[in-house]
Amino acid sequence: MNAQTTLDCLRQEPTSWFTVRELAGFTELSRPTVSRVLDDLEQAGWVLSMAGQPGGTGRPARRFRFNGGAGLILSVDAALSSFNAMVADLSGTPRAELTEHPPLISTSEEFVAYFKRLAEQCLQEAGSGTPLRAITVGLPGPVDASGKLRVSVTTPEWDGLDVADGIRALYPEASLIVGRDGEFDTLAELTSGALQGVQNAVHVTFSDRCRATLVVGGKIVRGAHGLAGSRPQPHGVGENMTASWTPLRDLIYGDHPRQRMSEIIAAAQEGSASDIDLLTRYAEALVPRVTFLMRAIAPEVLVMGGQMLALPEIALPPLRGAVLEAAGLDHGAEIDETRVPEVRLAHYRSAHAGPMGGIYAALAAIDWTV
């Protein structure tokens, strides 16, 4: 119990050094008890120590901190067009990152085989010899209790994808979490990004795969089947306004010569009028969906993430319009403007958000019992 209390205390600030006296104050344990516990934790590999710095009166006090290097976490955000991978130590500090564009993956077996190659490469870059303690995989849709992808609004080709057993067979010593990619994005923002301290929010990811995640009471809302936010149904949907995110993307892109968001954004940044127009129309077409979600939960904050972080001057004006429409300001209604939700840019870039959120999910799920 004393060892667990001390370890939990060190993990709260995993990169900070503490003296026995400081830890005794934080844990409300006696100094002799903390000193014995630290020796045991250091021997077990959970704690690092260093000699005190001379210069004061008396014997310099030794300092201790959590040993983040005692293990690694692998987090992969997987999509049909790209896999974003990150390896971090147990303090949550990234050690290696990798983004690759896979060949067409149609089956669970193909997914696991590609995952293995990507994981080995990323782990090698992070440094060999450290045990892999946890893996997280973000998939484009809600998953069931076994880790099977229920349904994907954005990637219907992967409906029913079942990769958990295959990944566990590759890394049997590591715990595994398979979850919805958008939830990992939002977890990153809640933990150390634009949603820190926010209780109610809508988090929109504006990319090739548009999606939204809802936060109520400081927690991610999943809904009965994990589909909350994935199928916003605006009032009065017509022939040119489909209910889910992906058909909208197909409707806007049409036969445009570039079909990847990254290519379109790059061309828009170079001043291509046709690409700027396409992205503007795409952003404007999201307004009814975002307005619907804003009205549903009346959030404090709307956060925009995804690839369109590269061009906020295009994406933000329509989203601010959605906020005003949801608040009734577009109809001239009397309202306290101080209560209009704030619009923020996500802290994490598109390729970094999902993997970082997966790291946080793994840190929360690891069994730290000592």
Side-chain angles (χ1 to χ4, degrees), residues 178-356:
V178 182
R180 179 180 167 221
D181 53 5
E183 293 178 7
F184 289 140
D185 290 1
T186 303
L187 181 58
E189 298 296 335
L190 282 169
T191 306
S192 60
L195 290 174
Q196 288 184 88
V198 174
Q199 292 298 301
N200 302 291
V202 173
H203 181 200
V204 176
T205 301
F206 189 176
S207 296
D208 265 323
R209 299 174 292 146
C210 283
R211 56 185 181 266
T213 305
L214 309 180
V215 176
V216 176
K219 297 182 179 180
I220 295 171
V221 176
R222 295 177 172 84
H225 304 289
L227 284 167
S230 63
R231 292 180 183 267
Q233 178 75 48
H235 177 69
V237 172
E239 292 181 3
N240 294 322
M241 184 64 71
T242 54
S244 63
W245 302 97
T246 300
L248 170 65
R249 179 250 193 226
D250 296 338
L251 182 70
I252 298 297
Y253 277 37
D255 58 357
H256 191 77
R258 283 175 281 276
Q259 290 291 307
R260 284 182 181 270
M261 175 72 84
S262 57
E263 297 172 355
I264 294 169
I265 289 175
Q269 289 174 320
E270 292 292 324
S272 167
S274 64
D275 291 278
I276 292 172
D277 176 68
L278 184 148
L279 293 174
T280 300
R281 288 187 291 112
Y282 198 174
E284 290 173 347
L286 293 178
V287 169
R289 292 156 173 77
V290 175
T291 300
F292 176 80
L293 295 174
M294 299 292 287
R295 286 175 174 160
I297 68 168
E300 307 157 58
V301 175
L302 167 66
V303 168
M304 187 204 79
Q307 292 166 292
M308 279 299 287
L309 282 173
L311 288 171
E313 64 273 19
I314 292 177
L316 286 182
L319 293 180
R320 288 197 176 102
V323 168
L324 295 177
E325 183 177 346
L329 291 178
D330 61 322
H331 301 300
E334 292 294 330
I335 191 169
D336 181 358
E337 293 194 30
T338 62
R339 297 175 63 186
V340 174
E342 180 184 354
V343 180
R344 299 179 184 175
L345 294 176
H347 173 74
Y348 288 100
R349 59 184 173 84
S350 180
H352 195 76
M356 195 71 241

Side-chain angles (χ1 to χ4, degrees), residues 113-126:
Y114 188 80
F115 180 94
K116 178 184 178 183
R117 189 187 67 77
L118 183 72
E120 289 176 348
Q121 183 176 346
C122 206
L123 288 167
Q124 185 175 11
E125 290 185 14

Side-chain angles (χ1 to χ4, degrees), residues 153-174:
V153 175
T154 59
T155 314
E157 300 94 329
W158 282 4
D159 284 359
L161 194 73
D162 190 358
V163 299
D165 287 343
I167 293 174
R168 286 193 185 96
L170 294 175
Y171 304 100
E173 301 302 317

